[in-house]
Amino acid sequence: MRKLATIVLFLVIVSNSFGQSKNSPLQISHLTGDFYVYRTFNDYKGVKVSANAMYVVTKEGVVLFDAPWDKTQFQPLLDSIEAKHNKKVVMVFATHSHEDRAGGLDFYKQKGIRTYSGKLTDEILKKNNEGRAEFIIPDDATFTVGQYTFEVYYPGKGHAPDNIVVWFGKEKILYGGCFIKSAEAKDLGNLGDADVKEWERSIKKVQSKFKYPKYVIPGHDDGTTSESINHTLKLVQDYNLSNNTSSKSSQK
Protein backbone atom coordinates (compact mmCIF):
# COMPACT_ATOMS: atom_id res chain seq x y z
CA MET A 1 0.00 0.00 0.00
CA ARG A 2 2.83 2.38 0.91
CA LYS A 3 4.64 1.54 -2.34
CA LEU A 4 1.47 2.28 -4.31
CA ALA A 5 1.07 5.64 -2.56
CA THR A 6 4.67 6.53 -3.43
CA ILE A 7 4.09 5.70 -7.10
CA VAL A 8 0.89 7.74 -7.18
CA LEU A 9 2.67 10.73 -5.57
CA PHE A 10 5.48 10.54 -8.13
CA LEU A 11 2.98 10.42 -11.00
CA VAL A 12 1.15 13.44 -9.59
CA ILE A 13 4.42 15.43 -9.45
CA VAL A 14 5.31 14.51 -13.02
CA SER A 15 1.78 15.18 -14.22
CA ASN A 16 1.72 18.59 -12.59
CA SER A 17 5.08 19.47 -14.11
CA PHE A 18 4.76 18.10 -17.63
CA GLY A 19 1.07 17.66 -18.36
CA GLN A 20 0.31 21.24 -17.55
CA SER A 21 -2.74 23.27 -18.41
CA LYS A 22 -2.48 26.67 -20.05
CA ASN A 23 -2.92 28.19 -16.60
CA SER A 24 0.07 26.44 -15.03
CA PRO A 25 2.69 28.90 -13.76
CA LEU A 26 5.44 26.56 -15.02
CA GLN A 27 5.09 24.82 -18.37
CA ILE A 28 7.73 22.43 -19.70
CA SER A 29 7.70 21.03 -23.23
CA HIS A 30 10.01 18.66 -25.08
CA LEU A 31 11.98 20.25 -27.92
CA THR A 32 14.12 17.41 -29.29
CA GLY A 33 16.39 14.73 -27.83
CA ASP A 34 17.59 15.88 -24.40
CA PHE A 35 16.42 19.48 -24.94
CA TYR A 36 13.43 21.08 -23.25
CA VAL A 37 11.82 24.52 -23.35
CA TYR A 38 10.14 25.82 -20.24
CA ARG A 39 7.84 28.79 -19.82
CA THR A 40 6.97 31.02 -16.87
CA PHE A 41 4.87 34.17 -16.63
CA ASN A 42 4.85 37.66 -15.19
CA ASP A 43 2.99 40.94 -15.54
CA TYR A 44 4.26 43.47 -18.07
CA LYS A 45 2.32 46.73 -18.25
CA GLY A 46 -0.72 45.05 -16.71
CA VAL A 47 -0.69 42.10 -19.12
CA LYS A 48 0.33 38.53 -18.30
CA VAL A 49 3.30 37.73 -20.54
CA SER A 50 5.18 34.45 -20.99
CA ALA A 51 8.96 34.04 -21.00
CA ASN A 52 10.72 31.09 -22.63
CA ALA A 53 13.90 29.45 -21.39
CA MET A 54 15.66 26.16 -22.10
CA TYR A 55 17.52 23.30 -20.46
CA VAL A 56 19.47 20.30 -21.70
CA VAL A 57 19.88 17.01 -19.86
CA THR A 58 23.50 15.79 -19.95
CA LYS A 59 25.31 12.85 -18.39
CA GLU A 60 26.82 15.25 -15.86
CA GLY A 61 23.55 16.95 -14.93
CA VAL A 62 21.15 19.53 -16.32
CA VAL A 63 22.30 22.82 -17.84
CA LEU A 64 19.77 25.64 -17.53
CA PHE A 65 19.68 28.66 -19.81
CA ASP A 66 17.98 31.54 -17.96
CA ALA A 67 16.00 31.49 -14.75
CA PRO A 68 12.20 31.62 -14.42
CA TRP A 69 10.69 35.08 -14.75
CA ASP A 70 8.36 34.17 -11.87
CA LYS A 71 10.49 33.86 -8.71
CA THR A 72 7.92 31.53 -7.12
CA GLN A 73 8.97 28.97 -9.74
CA PHE A 74 12.72 28.93 -8.94
CA GLN A 75 12.43 25.85 -6.72
CA PRO A 76 9.52 24.14 -8.54
CA LEU A 77 11.63 24.15 -11.70
CA LEU A 78 14.44 22.29 -9.91
CA ASP A 79 11.93 19.85 -8.41
CA SER A 80 10.23 19.23 -11.77
CA ILE A 81 13.52 18.59 -13.55
CA GLU A 82 14.70 16.15 -10.88
CA ALA A 83 11.35 14.31 -10.86
CA LYS A 84 11.36 13.94 -14.64
CA HIS A 85 15.03 13.21 -15.34
CA ASN A 86 16.41 12.04 -11.98
CA LYS A 87 19.20 14.59 -12.38
CA LYS A 88 20.05 17.86 -10.71
CA VAL A 89 20.69 21.24 -12.34
CA VAL A 90 24.45 21.82 -12.27
CA MET A 91 24.86 25.02 -14.32
CA VAL A 92 22.78 28.14 -14.99
CA PHE A 93 23.56 30.70 -17.71
CA ALA A 94 21.94 34.15 -17.75
CA THR A 95 21.68 35.60 -21.26
CA HIS A 96 21.31 39.20 -20.07
CA SER A 97 20.67 41.26 -16.97
CA HIS A 98 16.87 41.64 -17.10
CA GLU A 99 14.76 39.96 -14.43
CA ASP A 100 13.30 37.37 -16.82
CA ARG A 101 16.85 36.04 -17.44
CA ALA A 102 19.10 36.81 -14.48
CA GLY A 103 16.59 37.11 -11.66
CA GLY A 104 17.40 33.71 -10.20
CA LEU A 105 21.21 33.91 -10.10
CA ASP A 106 21.40 34.47 -6.34
CA PHE A 107 18.90 31.71 -5.61
CA TYR A 108 20.67 29.10 -7.70
CA LYS A 109 24.12 30.15 -6.51
CA GLN A 110 22.97 29.60 -2.92
CA LYS A 111 21.83 26.11 -3.96
CA GLY A 112 25.42 25.30 -4.92
CA ILE A 113 24.71 25.45 -8.66
CA ARG A 114 27.39 27.03 -10.85
CA THR A 115 26.11 30.29 -12.33
CA TYR A 116 27.44 32.13 -15.38
CA SER A 117 26.98 35.46 -17.16
CA GLY A 118 28.84 37.69 -19.56
CA LYS A 119 31.07 40.52 -18.35
CA LEU A 120 28.62 43.24 -19.42
CA THR A 121 25.77 41.49 -17.63
CA ASP A 122 27.86 41.28 -14.48
CA GLU A 123 28.69 44.99 -14.66
CA ILE A 124 25.03 45.93 -15.01
CA LEU A 125 23.94 43.65 -12.16
CA LYS A 126 26.70 45.02 -9.96
CA LYS A 127 25.71 48.62 -10.75
CA ASN A 128 22.07 47.83 -9.91
CA ASN A 129 23.03 45.98 -6.72
CA GLU A 130 21.39 42.77 -7.96
CA GLY A 131 22.40 39.14 -7.67
CA ARG A 132 25.39 38.23 -9.81
CA ALA A 133 26.79 35.04 -11.31
CA GLU A 134 29.71 33.20 -9.75
CA PHE A 135 31.58 32.88 -13.05
CA ILE A 136 32.12 35.47 -15.82
CA ILE A 137 32.49 34.22 -19.38
CA PRO A 138 34.21 35.94 -22.34
CA ASP A 139 32.32 37.21 -25.38
CA ASP A 140 32.81 33.94 -27.25
CA ALA A 141 33.28 30.77 -25.20
CA THR A 142 32.79 27.05 -25.79
CA PHE A 143 31.65 24.60 -23.10
CA THR A 144 31.45 20.83 -23.08
CA VAL A 145 29.18 19.27 -20.46
CA GLY A 146 28.71 15.53 -20.65
CA GLN A 147 27.94 14.59 -24.24
CA TYR A 148 27.06 18.11 -25.39
CA THR A 149 29.17 21.01 -26.63
CA PHE A 150 27.78 24.51 -26.99
CA GLU A 151 29.02 28.02 -27.74
CA VAL A 152 28.03 31.12 -25.80
CA TYR A 153 28.39 34.22 -27.96
CA TYR A 154 27.98 37.98 -27.54
CA PRO A 155 26.98 39.42 -30.95
CA GLY A 156 26.72 43.04 -29.86
CA LYS A 157 23.93 45.26 -28.58
CA GLY A 158 20.31 44.51 -29.39
CA HIS A 159 17.35 44.00 -27.09
CA ALA A 160 19.81 44.79 -24.30
CA PRO A 161 23.42 46.03 -24.29
CA ASP A 162 24.60 42.68 -22.89
CA ASN A 163 22.46 40.04 -24.66
CA ILE A 164 24.17 36.76 -25.51
CA VAL A 165 23.00 33.71 -27.49
CA VAL A 166 23.77 30.00 -27.15
CA TRP A 167 24.52 27.65 -30.05
CA PHE A 168 24.55 23.86 -30.09
CA GLY A 169 26.39 23.26 -33.36
CA LYS A 170 25.86 19.51 -33.76
CA GLU A 171 22.16 19.74 -32.97
CA LYS A 172 21.69 23.08 -34.81
CA ILE A 173 19.84 24.63 -31.87
CA LEU A 174 20.06 28.38 -31.30
CA TYR A 175 18.87 29.67 -27.95
CA GLY A 176 18.22 33.34 -28.64
CA GLY A 177 16.62 34.59 -25.44
CA CYS A 178 15.18 38.10 -25.81
CA PHE A 179 17.67 38.89 -28.58
CA ILE A 180 15.35 36.95 -30.91
CA LYS A 181 11.64 37.71 -31.29
CA SER A 182 9.19 34.95 -32.12
CA ALA A 183 7.91 34.55 -35.68
CA GLU A 184 4.49 35.72 -34.46
CA ALA A 185 5.75 38.90 -32.75
CA LYS A 186 4.08 42.09 -33.97
CA ASP A 187 6.74 44.45 -32.61
CA LEU A 188 10.09 44.53 -30.78
CA GLY A 189 8.53 44.62 -27.31
CA ASN A 190 10.40 46.22 -24.42
CA LEU A 191 12.97 48.66 -25.84
CA GLY A 192 13.92 50.31 -22.55
CA ASP A 193 17.54 49.14 -22.79
CA ALA A 194 17.63 48.37 -26.51
CA ASP A 195 19.93 49.71 -29.21
CA VAL A 196 17.86 49.00 -32.31
CA LYS A 197 20.43 50.39 -34.75
CA GLU A 198 23.10 48.05 -33.40
CA TRP A 199 20.58 45.21 -33.19
CA GLU A 200 20.47 44.93 -36.98
CA ARG A 201 24.23 44.46 -37.19
CA SER A 202 24.20 42.04 -34.28
CA ILE A 203 21.54 39.82 -35.87
CA LYS A 204 23.51 39.65 -39.09
CA LYS A 205 26.55 38.51 -37.10
CA VAL A 206 24.52 35.67 -35.62
CA GLN A 207 23.16 34.70 -39.03
CA SER A 208 26.68 34.61 -40.45
CA LYS A 209 28.20 32.68 -37.53
CA PHE A 210 25.46 30.12 -36.82
CA LYS A 211 24.07 28.90 -40.12
CA TYR A 212 20.97 26.83 -40.83
CA PRO A 213 19.55 26.31 -37.34
CA LYS A 214 16.85 23.65 -37.01
CA TYR A 215 15.38 25.19 -33.87
CA VAL A 216 15.47 28.78 -32.60
CA ILE A 217 14.12 29.54 -29.12
CA PRO A 218 12.90 33.15 -28.78
CA GLY A 219 12.58 34.92 -25.45
CA HIS A 220 8.79 35.20 -25.55
CA ASP A 221 5.69 33.81 -27.31
CA ASP A 222 5.30 30.50 -29.15
CA GLY A 223 7.28 28.70 -31.78
CA THR A 224 10.82 27.45 -32.36
CA THR A 225 11.08 28.02 -36.11
CA SER A 226 14.26 29.39 -37.65
CA GLU A 227 12.09 31.99 -39.39
CA SER A 228 12.10 33.94 -36.13
CA ILE A 229 15.61 35.22 -36.92
CA ASN A 230 14.59 36.71 -40.27
CA HIS A 231 11.40 38.02 -38.70
CA THR A 232 13.38 39.75 -35.94
CA LEU A 233 15.67 41.30 -38.54
CA LYS A 234 12.65 42.59 -40.48
CA LEU A 235 11.08 44.06 -37.33
CA VAL A 236 14.38 45.80 -36.54
CA GLN A 237 14.80 47.11 -40.09
CA ASP A 238 11.20 48.35 -40.24
CA TYR A 239 11.64 50.11 -36.89
CA ASN A 240 14.87 51.79 -38.00
CA LEU A 241 13.38 52.80 -41.34
CA SER A 242 10.34 54.29 -39.62
CA ASN A 243 12.49 56.22 -37.16
CA ASN A 244 14.79 57.51 -39.90
CA THR A 245 11.78 58.65 -41.93
CA SER A 246 10.26 60.40 -38.93
CA SER A 247 13.57 62.05 -38.11
CA LYS A 248 13.98 63.41 -41.65
CA SER A 249 10.39 64.69 -41.68
CA SER A 250 10.93 66.59 -38.43
CA GLN A 251 14.02 68.27 -39.85
CA LYS A 252 12.18 69.77 -42.82
Side-chain angles (χ1 to χ4, degrees):
M1 191 70 177
R2 184 177 296 173
K3 183 177 181 181
L4 177 61
T6 301
I7 293 173
V8 170
L9 177 61
F10 174 79
L11 290 175
V12 167
I13 292 172
V14 173
S15 175
N16 286 342
S17 302
F18 290 85
Q20 317 94 329
S21 73
K22 290 183 178 180
N23 295 321
S24 298
L26 172 65
Q27 299 172 11
I28 302 176
S29 59
H30 182 234
L31 180 66
T32 183
D34 292 317
F35 294 82
Y36 294 80
V37 174
Y38 80 87
R39 173 179 291 182
T40 54
F41 302 83
N42 216 320
D43 288 331
Y44 176 67
K45 295 184 177 179
V47 178
K48 189 177 182 181
V49 177
S50 65
N52 302 320
M54 187 181 81
Y55 69 82
V56 58
V57 182
T58 82
K59 294 175 182 177
E60 295 181 8
V62 174
V63 181
L64 184 65
F65 299 96
D66 288 329
W69 193 5
D70 178 358
K71 64 177 63 176
T72 70
Q73 298 307 306
F74 289 169
Q75 185 62 48
L77 176 62
L78 298 182
D79 296 339
S80 298
I81 288 173
E82 190 165 2
K84 172 67 175 177
H85 307 290
N86 197 30
K87 288 183 181 293
K88 293 184 178 295
V89 174
V90 295
M91 303 170 78
V92 176
F93 288 80
T95 57
H96 67 272
S97 63
H98 289 169
E99 187 181 12
D100 59 341
R101 306 294 144 188
L105 286 176
D106 250 359
F107 179 89
Y108 292 120
K109 188 163 59 173
Q110 290 172 15
K111 291 284 181 179
I113 298 170
R114 301 194 300 278
T115 53
Y116 298 79
S117 78
K119 182 179 179 182
L120 288 174
T121 297
D122 185 64
E123 290 174 353
I124 293 170
L125 292 173
K126 182 179 180 181
K127 179 181 177 181
N128 295 336
N129 198 29
E130 296 174 351
R132 298 157 63 194
E134 181 180 3
F135 301 102
I136 308 305
I137 54 180
D139 288 350
D140 195 351
T142 300
F143 293 81
T144 297
V145 186
Q147 68 275 40
Y148 291 104
T149 296
F150 56 92
E151 187 174 354
V152 181
Y153 175 64
Y154 173 65
K157 298 176 181 179
H159 164 77
D162 56 323
N163 45 213
I164 60 177
V165 299
V166 183
W167 172 248
F168 285 81
K170 183 178 179 182
E171 295 78 17
K172 300 291 183 182
I173 296 172
L174 179 68
Y175 178 71
C178 296
F179 179 76
I180 299 294
K181 306 298 294 183
S182 75
E184 66 182 34
K186 300 295 189 295
D187 56 46
L188 292 173
N190 175 22
L191 296 178
D193 294 321
D195 187 326
V196 186
K197 289 184 179 179
E198 285 295 324
W199 201 342
E200 182 172 345
R201 284 188 280 269
S202 300
I203 291 174
K204 289 178 179 178
K205 284 183 184 178
V206 169
Q207 288 178 315
S208 176
K209 189 173 179 64
F210 306 128
K211 298 182 184 298
Y212 312 116
K214 290 182 181 178
Y215 302 95
V216 178
I217 296 86
H220 300 277
D221 301 323
D222 294 320
T224 57
T225 173
S226 61
E227 281 305 307
S228 58
I229 303 177
N230 288 330
H231 181 62
T232 304
L233 179 58
K234 185 177 186 306
L235 288 174
V236 168
Q237 290 173 331
D238 287 349
Y239 181 93
N240 286 330
L241 180 62
S242 175
N243 274 21
N244 288 339
T245 301
S246 299
S247 177
K248 288 178 182 178
S249 297
S250 66
Q251 292 174 8
K252 289 182 180 179

